[in-house]
Amino acid sequence: MLNSIKESPLYPIVNPKSIAFFGASNNFSSMGTSQFNSLRDLGFEGTIYPVHPKEEKVQNLKAYRSVLDLPEVPDLAVLVVPTKIVSKLLEECGEKGIKHAIIVSGGFKEVGAEGGDREQELTAIATKYGIRFLGPNCIGVANPYHKLNTTFLRYLGDPGFIGMASQSGSFVTQMFNYLSRYSLGFSTAFSVGNEANFDIVDCLEYLGACPNTKVIALYIEGIRRGREFMEMARSIIPYKPIVALYIGGSETGRQAGFSHTGALAGPDQLYDGMFHQSGVIRAYSIGELFDMCWVLGRLPKPRGSRVVIQTHSGGPGAAAADSCGREGLELPALSQDTVKKLAPLVPNTGSIHNPVDITFTKNPIDYFSDIPKILLEEDNTDILLVYFLVPSQMVNRALERMGLSKDQVIEKSAKFIDAQCKSIARLIETYNKPIVGFTFRSIQEDFTKSLINQGVPVFEGPERAVRALKASVKYSRLSEKVLINTGKG
Amino acid sequence: MLNSIKESPLYPIVNPKSIAFFGASNNFSSMGTSQFNSLRDLGFEGTIYPVHPKEEKVQNLKAYRSVLDLPEVPDLAVLVVPTKIVSKLLEECGEKGIKHAIIVSGGFKEVGAEGGDREQELTAIATKYGIRFLGPNCIGVANPYHKLNTTFLRYLGDPGFIGMASQSGSFVTQMFNYLSRYSLGFSTAFSVGNEANFDIVDCLEYLGACPNTKVIALYIEGIRRGREFMEMARSIIPYKPIVALYIGGSETGRQAGFSHTGALAGPDQLYDGMFHQSGVIRAYSIGELFDMCWVLGRLPKPRGSRVVIQTHSGGPGAAAADSCGREGLELPALSQDTVKKLAPLVPNTGSIHNPVDITFTKNPIDYFSDIPKILLEEDNTDILLVYFLVPSQMVNRALERMGLSKDQVIEKSAKFIDAQCKSIARLIETYNKPIVGFTFRSIQEDFTKSLINQGVPVFEGPERAVRALKASVKYSRLSEKVLINTGKG
């Protein structure tokens, strides 16, 4: 593992001070223009040099006819141009002395033999000039900490803690919106494309050393350097978790993966074994990939797999218990001491056994403070899983019928929500145990949004919550084992 | 199967003209008051008689000291009162001549032996007076077509086509919000509680005959009348699909289920076999249950399991193909004719094979009209699965930079969205083949919302879409077989 990201040859790719941009124009609908605009929208603080064969200005920035005309040698070249002129332009970048490039353009190995030849030509040019490049056939990178986003969609939300390397550009750029809805974000994300020069192992190395990255997410259709991948992963696991979505396990997926990036996807078991041996946690969908990252990056490591469920209705409690059972998480019995403490807080139509069902008939404040406290103090539990029936409708209705004005209702309700969410979120630190919620309401609602912003992951349905927790339990065991084996514990 | 819902003894429970309501008061936070308010909020058009021992008026309606004082014999009594007075009040209902009741109150069999005795007492009273009742320990019913909602949350959205019978009240009332977010709704929903008198089989019978119900959803923790359940299901399947979520398969889930409604949950395989033999499609989560209902109730039956995927980026296409492979749906090769028709519409960096990846470089209009048309005309395909990268951000950005005012952007963009969504939705009818979408954006966004409102189900991620489609393929095969066997084809 690297000691610093500055040792990585990818460093200038995601931390450039100056960029030569090929393919932006004054045509609003072109891909290149979109990517150029994303870069500027995020407020990139370095210098951007648009290179355009005809225009004087591109989107109000002075344009250059050729990269050779630039007043300095930029750190990075980004190419979003027609296939047939990519090598010529890369050659010119080489002549100029540029050492790093992102080649977004497609039409290479992924389209067959002829494209393969074109890709070899690129590689030869790169070798000749000592250029390292990402792509071709990629969407570029995002490093929101550096205000860098070369993809064609705006970066939304704040910089985050998920480091991503993806063999699909969509799963970088199209996730900005997705992640921001969960108050998540990328630390740095790479779309690796055809991996003609840099590959996913290089990205893994970078992300392993990246101080903003708490958890690494991978989207994989096929790995070329299997042994290097495993060694790299193993060296990172003691410090941060790696989660991977591998597509290509089924025959239909395999075929789609092949035409997508030209990688030869291998059989499912092979990858499963490879992940298992190197400590990479496997996800089975994009949703699950980021669910796992959420819990792994946001919450303390659970000490074990014993879950206590807190609910205020039976069905969701039973569904959560069922999910735990299916995923191999335990539902321990609560100690006599805990049962005694719970008894006065839970009505007799509820349940003081695990799942603890407090129903609706007592003080809702207990739900966010006293009861979770008791459950976290219990020695038999490692994780608290809470069903949130966001009660704002009932709160609002009660306030309305008490004769409060609309504004007063909004204000009172917001205060109530804020206080409750803070109260439960604080317990994560106090007890150093993960708290995860689930709901059937929209995660865009005030209550859920507030919980999420305070640091409590809330999932749509118990299954997603439990599968994410399972990843956390896995990593906890894994890192312990690794730490012991390597003497790092 | 019944010929009409009027033959069902449940008919007055969900279609009452008058209701005696026990447990509403002028205390805003009580459960009874919440349920009473839900009933009135939906605009129930019959007569409501609040019964209260002390109050003159309950929420501005004249209250009665005793049910015996009512000026008529109401069709239905709803009881949300402390456990210890339930039998006394039920007895009085009997004396008054009331023949139908919903007993919301808990504290019966679900709390153990003593509660079991109390439940037997209820049953005895019911027998004595010829009362049929739902519950105890339930949340009541919703029949939005009749403007009836006895649960404690407001009914949201329009009446829908999903008939539900649930052994958890949460999965009735707490789903109003959930379903409305997908433009779905209940036709009629029953929370069956402890099933001391009416049980889930009775509800199934009602929903089988209910003309507003296109698909039946069940939440099951344990079935008491197994043989009757299977016979009833078998008689309904030729006419409408039944989807069931069974919780209790895992040991932890089983225990939670037991304390919840007092039902003895059986082993997973037993239920699996029972569902399989009676043609009930099994779901594994609440989300999946309603996903399946959505596709089953909204779209035409697929003629087979051959899926064609339309995407505009490789990763989501590959992920969708992988999902299809895992669920046993086929991805057929497209005919020469189709490939020829697609070629001019898809750039050479895309793919004209299945998944069809049109990338970003051509006219977006093709995406919603010409290309899906070609794919639906193809004889080799039964289902069209589309990845929607809702392009509103790019559309808006292009419009903004063209110098349009904010209002103009909103208007132009809305028009564009509307036209595209209508265009693709229309194809479902034209070709009588299901079209299902998936996205990683919020289903609350204008574009997705519009697609959904026009009748195209759009799921968060390909896995959910494919699993819902799988249910549809299953039902298609099942109903064919049943129709042939019973000579109904």
Side-chain angles (χ1 to χ4, degrees):
Chain A
M1 215 180 90
L2 300 175
N3 288 316
S4 157
I5 44 173
K6 293 195 180 171
E7 295 171 17
S8 163
L10 277 164
Y11 184 78
I13 296 270
V14 282
N15 301 276
K17 289 197 191 69
S18 48
I19 301 174
F21 202 104
F22 299 75
S25 68
N26 296 310
N27 169 3
F28 298 103
S29 66
S30 89
M31 178 96 157
T33 308
S34 281
Q35 299 194 242
F36 185 79
N37 286 333
S38 296
L39 182 59
R40 295 185 72 194
D41 284 340
L42 193 55
F44 178 68
E45 289 165 351
T47 315
I48 310 174
Y49 301 107
V51 181
H52 194 281
K54 287 177 218 140
E55 305 282 0
E56 288 297 320
K57 286 198 161 196
V58 165
Q59 311 287 339
N60 300 325
L61 271 193
K62 175 179 163 46
Y64 296 82
R65 293 284 151 96
S66 157
V67 69
L68 299 166
D69 302 339
L70 301 191
E72 62 166 324
V73 180
D75 289 345
L76 176 67
V78 177
L79 290 86
V80 197
V81 294
T83 315
K84 57 181 188 296
I85 58 168
V86 174
S87 16
K88 180 178 156 281
L89 295 179
L90 189 67
E91 181 101 39
E92 288 180 17
C93 287
E95 285 169 27
K96 182 72 180 178
I98 296 175
K99 297 293 178 203
H100 292 88
I102 297 175
I103 303 176
V104 173
S105 314
F108 295 89
K109 200 168 72 185
E110 81 280 9
V111 299
E114 202 194 328
D117 293 346
R118 279 194 291 267
E119 194 160 308
Q120 284 205 325
E121 201 185 330
L122 286 189
T123 316
I125 295 166
T127 309
K128 180 172 157 197
Y129 293 101
I131 299 172
R132 297 298 313 267
F133 68 94
L134 201 65
N137 186 30
C138 73
I139 207 76
V141 297
N143 176 3
Y145 288 97
H146 192 69
K147 297 187 182 167
L148 178 77
N149 171 24
T150 74
T151 80
F152 62 89
L153 292 174
R154 275 185 188 139
Y155 187 84
L156 300 169
D158 295 320
F161 56 70
I162 301 172
M164 174 114 193
S166 174
Q167 287 176 341
S168 157
S170 305
F171 294 142
V172 172
T173 191
Q174 290 165 42
M175 295 301 115
F176 297 161
N177 173 288
Y178 182 86
L179 293 177
S180 75
R181 298 207 310 274
Y182 295 89
S183 289
L184 294 172
F186 286 123
S187 49
T188 289
F190 298 93
S191 154
V192 299
N194 290 1
E195 302 177 281
N197 187 292
F198 283 124
D199 73 358
I200 205 159
V201 181
D202 298 312
C203 299
L204 195 53
E205 181 182 54
Y206 180 91
L207 295 170
C210 170
N212 298 319
T213 299
K214 286 196 198 169
V215 52
I216 299 173
L218 304 174
Y219 171 78
I220 293 170
E221 293 183 354
I223 295 174
R224 289 192 183 79
R225 295 195 289 154
R227 200 190 306 154
E228 289 86 344
F229 174 87
M230 288 174 69
E231 278 167 15
M232 188 64 72
R234 275 202 204 105
S235 76
I236 294 169
I237 298 294
Y239 306 97
K240 55 184 89 169
I242 304 172
V243 187
L245 170 63
Y246 165 65
I247 289 295
S250 64
E251 183 57 17
T252 34
R254 201 190 66 74
Q255 284 177 2
F258 184 70
S259 71
H260 180 210
T261 56
L264 184 68
D268 203 66
Q269 287 95 327
L270 188 79
Y271 279 82
D272 220 43
M274 199 159 84
F275 294 148
H276 185 75
Q277 283 176 48
S278 50
V280 171
I281 296 165
R282 186 167 177 187
Y284 285 89
S285 70
I286 277 290
E288 198 168 283
L289 181 75
F290 291 117
D291 287 354
M292 289 173 168
C293 287
W294 196 3
V295 168
L296 284 163
R298 185 75 86 194
L299 296 175
K301 276 192 271 184
R303 271 160 250 163
S305 62
R306 298 165 306 171
V307 179
V308 59
I309 297 168
Q310 176 184 317
T311 180
H312 38 176
S313 30
D322 188 69
S323 293
C324 287
R326 283 181 199 284
E327 296 298 328
L329 301 184
E330 294 160 68
L331 253 67
L334 303 176
S335 68
Q336 275 312 308
D337 190 40
T338 297
V339 168
K340 220 189 271 169
K341 285 193 258 174
L342 283 174
L345 300 173
V346 177
N348 77 328
T349 51
S351 166
I352 45 176
H353 301 288
N354 192 5
V356 174
D357 181 358
I358 69 158
T359 75
F360 291 100
T361 44
K362 295 257 168 155
N363 182 7
I365 310 294
D366 297 341
Y367 201 79
F368 295 93
S369 170
D370 291 355
I371 294 177
K373 241 186 238 174
I374 295 169
L375 299 178
L376 289 163
E377 272 165 11
E378 161 73 62
D379 283 337
N380 283 343
T381 66
D382 305 307
I383 295 163
L384 173 60
L385 176 59
V386 184
Y387 173 57
F388 290 109
L389 167 64
V390 188
S392 35
Q393 189 184 329
M394 288 172 80
V395 172
N396 289 352
R397 193 147 75 172
L399 293 171
E400 276 164 30
R401 289 184 193 255
M402 277 164 71
L404 269 67
S405 74
K406 229 177 189 176
D407 286 351
Q408 285 173 314
V409 167
I410 291 171
E411 195 204 316
K412 279 234 171 201
S413 170
K415 257 194 190 158
F416 173 83
I417 286 175
D418 190 56
Q420 299 318 313
C421 296
K422 272 201 184 117
S423 165
I424 197 159
R426 221 178 288 127
L427 299 176
I428 296 175
E429 252 183 83
T430 311
Y431 294 95
N432 197 32
K433 290 181 179 181
I435 302 178
V436 164
F438 70 97
T439 183
F440 294 105
R441 301 187 69 92
S442 167
I443 54 146
Q444 325 262 30
E445 277 189 22
D446 289 348
F447 207 106
T448 325
K449 242 189 151 37
S450 174
L451 278 167
I452 289 173
N453 288 340
Q454 301 287 348
V456 182
V458 181
F459 293 92
E460 289 152 321
E463 300 76 19
R464 286 179 66 173
V466 169
R467 290 184 66 86
L469 281 170
K470 176 69 180 293
S472 179
V473 168
K474 260 190 200 166
Y475 180 65
S476 208
R477 284 183 189 148
L478 208 62
S479 57
E480 254 171 47
K481 211 168 65 180
V482 176
L483 289 171
I484 291 164
N485 286 348
T486 56
K488 280 172 185 133
Chain B
M1 216 181 89
L2 300 175
N3 289 316
S4 157
I5 45 172
K6 294 194 178 169
E7 294 172 17
S8 163
L10 277 164
Y11 184 78
I13 297 268
V14 281
N15 302 276
K17 288 198 192 69
S18 48
I19 302 173
F21 202 104
F22 299 77
S25 68
N26 295 311
N27 169 3
F28 298 104
S29 67
S30 89
M31 178 97 156
T33 307
S34 280
Q35 298 194 241
F36 185 78
N37 286 334
S38 297
L39 182 60
R40 296 185 71 195
D41 284 341
L42 194 56
F44 178 66
E45 288 163 352
T47 316
I48 310 174
Y49 300 107
V51 181
H52 194 281
K54 288 177 214 138
E55 305 281 0
E56 289 296 320
K57 287 199 161 198
V58 165
Q59 311 287 339
N60 300 324
L61 271 192
K62 176 180 162 49
Y64 296 81
R65 293 285 153 96
S66 158
V67 70
L68 298 166
D69 302 340
L70 300 190
E72 63 166 324
V73 180
D75 289 344
L76 176 67
V78 177
L79 291 88
V80 196
V81 295
T83 315
K84 56 180 189 297
I85 59 169
V86 174
S87 20
K88 180 178 157 282
L89 294 178
L90 190 67
E91 181 100 37
E92 287 181 16
C93 288
E95 284 170 28
K96 181 71 181 177
I98 296 176
K99 297 293 177 203
H100 293 88
I102 297 174
I103 303 176
V104 173
S105 313
F108 294 88
K109 200 168 72 184
E110 81 280 9
V111 299
E114 202 194 328
D117 293 347
R118 279 196 290 266
E119 194 160 308
Q120 284 204 326
E121 202 185 330
L122 285 190
T123 315
I125 295 166
T127 309
K128 180 173 158 196
Y129 293 101
I131 298 172
R132 298 296 314 266
F133 69 94
L134 201 64
N137 185 30
C138 74
I139 207 75
V141 298
N143 175 4
Y145 289 97
H146 193 67
K147 296 186 181 164
L148 178 77
N149 171 24
T150 74
T151 79
F152 62 88
L153 291 174
R154 274 183 189 140
Y155 187 85
L156 299 169
D158 296 320
F161 55 72
I162 301 172
M164 174 115 192
S166 173
Q167 287 176 342
S168 158
S170 305
F171 294 142
V172 171
T173 192
Q174 289 165 42
M175 295 300 116
F176 297 161
N177 173 288
Y178 182 87
L179 293 178
S180 76
R181 297 208 309 276
Y182 295 88
S183 288
L184 294 172
F186 287 124
S187 49
T188 289
F190 298 94
S191 153
V192 298
N194 290 1
E195 302 176 282
N197 187 292
F198 283 123
D199 73 357
I200 204 159
V201 181
D202 297 311
C203 299
L204 195 52
E205 181 182 53
Y206 180 91
L207 296 170
C210 170
N212 297 321
T213 300
K214 286 196 198 171
V215 52
I216 299 172
L218 304 174
Y219 170 78
I220 294 169
E221 293 183 353
I223 296 174
R224 290 192 184 78
R225 295 195 288 153
R227 201 190 306 154
E228 290 86 345
F229 175 86
M230 286 173 70
E231 277 166 17
M232 188 63 73
R234 275 202 204 106
S235 75
I236 294 169
I237 298 295
Y239 306 98
K240 55 183 90 169
I242 304 172
V243 187
L245 171 63
Y246 166 66
I247 289 295
S250 63
E251 183 58 18
T252 35
R254 202 191 66 74
Q255 284 177 4
F258 184 70
S259 71
H260 179 209
T261 56
L264 184 66
D268 203 65
Q269 286 95 327
L270 187 79
Y271 278 82
D272 220 43
M274 199 159 83
F275 294 148
H276 185 74
Q277 283 175 47
S278 50
V280 171
I281 295 164
R282 187 167 178 186
Y284 285 89
S285 71
I286 277 291
E288 198 168 284
L289 181 75
F290 291 117
D291 287 354
M292 289 173 169
C293 287
W294 195 2
V295 168
L296 285 164
R298 185 74 87 197
L299 296 175
K301 278 192 271 184
R303 272 160 250 165
S305 62
R306 297 166 304 170
V307 179
V308 58
I309 297 168
Q310 177 185 317
T311 179
H312 38 175
S313 28
D322 188 69
S323 294
C324 287
R326 284 183 199 285
E327 295 299 328
L329 302 185
E330 294 159 67
L331 253 66
L334 303 176
S335 68
Q336 275 312 308
D337 190 40
T338 297
V339 168
K340 221 189 272 170
K341 283 194 260 174
L342 284 174
L345 300 172
V346 177
N348 77 327
T349 51
S351 166
I352 45 176
H353 301 289
N354 192 5
V356 174
D357 181 358
I358 69 158
T359 75
F360 290 99
T361 43
K362 295 259 169 152
N363 182 6
I365 309 296
D366 297 340
Y367 202 77
F368 295 93
S369 170
D370 292 355
I371 294 175
K373 242 186 238 174
I374 295 169
L375 299 178
L376 289 163
E377 273 166 12
E378 161 74 61
D379 283 337
N380 283 343
T381 66
D382 305 308
I383 295 163
L384 174 60
L385 177 58
V386 184
Y387 173 57
F388 290 109
L389 167 63
V390 187
S392 34
Q393 188 185 327
M394 287 171 81
V395 171
N396 290 352
R397 193 147 73 173
L399 292 171
E400 274 164 31
R401 289 184 194 255
M402 275 164 73
L404 269 65
S405 74
K406 230 181 187 169
D407 286 351
Q408 286 172 314
V409 168
I410 292 171
E411 195 204 315
K412 280 235 169 199
S413 171
K415 256 195 191 158
F416 173 82
I417 286 174
D418 191 55
Q420 298 319 311
C421 296
K422 273 201 182 114
S423 165
I424 198 159
R426 221 177 288 128
L427 299 177
I428 297 175
E429 253 183 82
T430 311
Y431 293 97
N432 198 31
K433 291 181 179 180
I435 302 178
V436 163
F438 71 96
T439 183
F440 294 105
R441 301 188 69 93
S442 167
I443 55 146
Q444 324 263 29
E445 277 189 21
D446 289 348
F447 206 106
T448 325
K449 243 190 151 36
S450 174
L451 277 167
I452 288 172
N453 289 339
Q454 302 287 348
V456 182
V458 182
F459 293 92
E460 288 151 321
E463 300 76 18
R464 286 180 66 172
V466 168
R467 290 183 66 84
L469 281 170
K470 175 69 180 292
S472 179
V473 168
K474 261 191 200 165
Y475 181 65
S476 207
R477 283 183 191 149
L478 207 62
S479 57
E480 253 170 48
K481 210 167 67 180
V482 175
L483 289 172
I484 290 163
N485 286 348
T486 56
K488 279 170 186 136

